[in-house]
Amino acid sequence: MLMTGDQILLKQLNRAALLWLLRTRPGLARVELARLTHLTKATVGSLVDELRSEGWLLEGETLASRAGRPSTPLFLDSSRLTVLGAELKPSGHRLVAVDLLGNLLVSRVVQQPY
């Protein structure tokens, strides 16, 4: 089955790939993200700029390199955004909030009256 998508879908998938990589391998620089995702450096640069302005990413201290431009490690910003989740059952509901690194912030169970 051949699947096609539009540019918005492709951009969302590329953003998700960058976020997943930085969650599993914090501290990667833009050039490493480009190499691992097979995206161009320009594409990675513009996506990182967007993700930074939206509060998803933080830049670390610039690291000097032996050759070429210095690299800047990138990290998920777990202090600004929260992910909410819910498990809904007839007997009750569980609500959770976690930071971008998966650390549990709040968990509540609400029992349903019978």
Side-chain angles (χ1 to χ4, degrees), residues 35-75:
R35 181 179 54 80
L36 292 168
T37 58
H38 302 285
L39 297 171
T40 67
K41 292 177 190 175
T43 298
V44 169
S46 66
L47 291 174
V48 165
D49 289 344
E50 284 181 21
L51 291 167
R52 284 185 60 229
S53 70
E54 293 171 8
W56 290 91
L57 300 179
L58 289 174
E59 286 187 331
E61 293 291 322
T62 301
L63 306 172
S65 63
R66 287 180 251 171
R69 301 170 81 181
S71 65
T72 305
L74 297 164
F75 303 91

Side-chain angles (χ1 to χ4, degrees), residues 62-92:
T62 301
L63 306 172
S65 63
R66 287 180 251 171
R69 301 170 81 181
S71 65
T72 305
L74 297 164
F75 303 91
L76 292 181
D77 184 355
S78 63
S79 67
R80 291 192 48 194
L81 298 173
T82 302
V83 178
L84 304 175
E87 178 182 35
L88 307 174
K89 293 182 176 182
S91 59

